Amino acid sequence: MSLLIVDSIKKYFPMKSSFGKPQNWVKAVDGVSFKVNKDSVFAVVGESGCGKSTVARLILKLLSLTDGRIFFKGEDILSIKGEELKKFRRSVQIVFQDPFASLNPRMRVVDTLSEPFKIHRIAAKHQIKDRVVGLLEKVGLGADALNKYPHEFSGGQRQRICIARALTVSPELIVADEPLSALDVSIQAQILNLLQDIKKETAISIVFISHDLKVVHYLSDEVAVMYLGKIVETGETEELFKSPKHPYTKLLLASAPKIRVKGQGLRVKSEESGDVPSPITIPNGCPFHPRCPERMDICDKTVPELKESGGRLVSCHLY
Ligand SMILES: Nc1ncnc2c1ncn2[C@@H]1O[C@H](COP(=O)(O)OP(=O)(O)O)[C@@H](O)[C@H]1O
Ligand code: SF4
Ligand SMILES: [Mg+2]
């Protein structure tokens, strides 16, 4: 059984409408499906604005669905309430992009990491400190971190603390939303190695969200490539990297990052492609057609369905 099943989920955000005009929607996520197995890493990749963080927030039950369903361990997360919801909140943890914003600046590390033990009553009071030190060691920090405040650490160290905090409650799933994007390039590899260790040493599944395909290749078992709120290609990581099928996947693989805005992910521009279109005015037919080097006559008329092609799902009229 899959740990997580995401079934045709949609999230439309209402836009400010002026009187008398029809309501417009930002189709941030528009019919996304995937499964995450136990003990595996599932990557979601795509440019800034394609809906990745919205998918993350939907999985974590931080946003309500417009449509579709999400199952965690076979249970529809919509119906999880009371004690079960508490358990769900423990089992599914998030690591955010910005380790600066996600730690309370007035709390010492020991307090930040002790809190979940107390809230969820996981350890006896006298055991908590040892558990916290154990976690710090696991993420490559020592006991000397205990009494320090977030501002005394570098970005990479703070992200280690955030990862330690996610691990306090022994989760079954960690959703990591671009956990490397706010960090200096030299630090990214270290955090990536830490996630790799967690993958190897625990049975925790990870939904790893990224705009960086190199990173995804290294860490994930399966990949879904998103474009304007939809998955355009998904499959086993090695296979997808060996022979990308969708022209957008090929573009992502071929492009060196052209513009890298710290903390905002990546936007790829190809010579003929122009800007990334917005989810408010999605092009007719294949949403990728204005940028596609392989487009055909049918492409601006008919929406391609996501269908199986050589052991993988692809939405493109070429297949
Ligand atoms: N709360 C919101 N209200 C309105 N629009 C939103 C909201 N959250 C996200 N969006 C829009 O949804 C789209 C997808 O955003 P997001 O999921 O953050 O993308 P990504 O994480 O891939 O960069 C963007 O166009 C974004 O502006
Ligand atoms: S459907 Fe057409 S425009 Fe869309 S990716 Fe395939 S070839 Fe390109
Ligand atoms: Mg995001």
Side-chain angles (χ1 to χ4, degrees):
M1 191 178 70
S2 300
L3 183 68
L4 180 78
I5 299 174
V6 171
D7 181 16
S8 318
I9 60 168
K10 292 184 182 173
K11 182 66 190 181
Y12 295 177
F13 294 108
M15 287 174 58
K16 270 208 193 101
S17 65
S18 43
F19 185 73
K21 294 241 177 81
Q23 177 71 57
N24 262 333
W25 302 89
V26 183
K27 296 184 174 180
V29 176
D30 198 14
V32 162
S33 302
F34 59 84
K35 290 179 182 166
V36 182
N37 293 323
K38 247 185 116 58
D39 203 1
S40 76
V41 178
F42 189 92
V44 178
V45 184
E47 287 158 288
S48 181
C50 73
K52 304 182 297 296
S53 294
T54 304
V55 168
R57 291 162 71 202
L58 290 168
I59 292 171
L60 285 144
K61 229 169 128 72
L62 298 174
L63 270 180
S64 60
L65 287 158
T66 302
D67 198 13
R69 291 165 87 183
I70 297 174
F71 299 89
F72 182 70
K73 295 169 82 176
E75 214 175 325
D76 189 336
I77 66 166
L78 194 68
S79 61
I80 301 178
K81 302 211 163 69
E83 263 321 292
E84 286 296 305
L85 182 59
K86 256 193 176 161
K87 227 161 89 188
F88 173 79
R89 294 256 173 256
R90 242 175 83 172
S91 301
V92 185
Q93 291 290 312
I94 183 152
V95 174
F96 291 102
Q97 172 171 329
D98 188 353
F100 297 87
S102 53
L103 288 172
N104 184 335
R106 283 181 293 277
M107 273 168 83
R108 293 175 306 160
V109 168
V110 61
D111 300 321
T112 296
L113 296 184
S114 301
E115 197 174 54
F117 285 114
K118 291 177 187 157
I119 292 173
H120 296 288
R121 299 205 190 98
I122 303 165
K125 218 171 171 185
H126 67 278
Q127 295 173 331
I128 292 178
K129 197 167 164 195
D130 283 348
R131 296 280 292 269
V132 168
V133 172
L135 280 168
L136 284 171
E137 279 164 4
K138 197 178 238 168
V139 300
L141 295 167
D144 57 328
L146 282 173
N147 290 314
K148 291 186 181 164
Y149 289 89
H151 75 265
E152 298 177 69
F153 296 95
S154 68
Q157 289 170 327
R158 287 188 216 196
Q159 199 57 299
R160 288 177 194 273
I161 296 166
C162 293
I163 292 167
R165 184 177 54 186
L167 293 173
T168 50
V169 290
S170 308
E172 292 173 83
L173 179 69
I174 292 178
V175 179
D177 188 0
E178 307 219 40
L180 312 180
S181 302
L183 306 177
D184 289 337
V185 176
S186 58
I187 306 297
Q188 291 183 1
Q190 296 174 15
I191 299 298
L192 194 55
N193 282 331
L194 173 59
L195 291 169
Q196 181 81 311
D197 290 344
I198 291 170
K199 177 185 169 174
K200 277 193 207 135
E201 290 164 18
T202 70
I204 300 171
S205 301
I206 302 175
V207 173
F208 186 85
I209 294 173
S210 177
H211 59 263
D212 191 332
L213 278 151
K214 281 200 297 292
V215 168
V216 160
H217 195 174
Y218 180 72
L219 194 67
S220 71
D221 302 297
E222 286 177 81
V223 186
V225 179
M226 274 185 79
Y227 190 77
L228 283 180
K230 289 193 163 81
I231 291 178
V232 296
E233 178 164 5
T234 181
E236 198 266 315
T237 303
E238 274 314 314
E239 292 301 315
L240 188 132
F241 274 79
K242 234 188 284 165
S243 62
K245 287 177 188 263
H246 196 284
Y248 180 59
T249 312
K250 292 183 202 167
L251 175 80
L252 281 182
L253 279 172
S255 345
K258 297 260 169 65
I259 303 170
R260 197 184 269 279
V261 185
K262 203 173 179 190
Q264 287 193 359
L266 161 76
R267 282 172 183 267
V268 180
K269 282 187 175 184
S270 74
E271 270 56 65
E272 73 222 83
S273 69
D275 272 319
V276 180
S278 99
I280 302 159
T281 48
I282 293 174
N284 288 332
C286 170
F288 186 58
H289 84 258
R291 301 169 71 190
C292 183
E294 298 180 62
R295 72 171 165 261
M296 305 167 286
D297 284 346
I298 185 178
C299 295
D300 62 357
K301 296 174 190 74
T302 311
V303 181
E305 274 176 52
L306 191 63
K307 53 179 187 280
E308 160 127 43
S309 167
R312 164 150 17 133
L313 296 174
V314 190
S315 68
C316 171
H317 293 305
L318 290 167
Y319 303 96

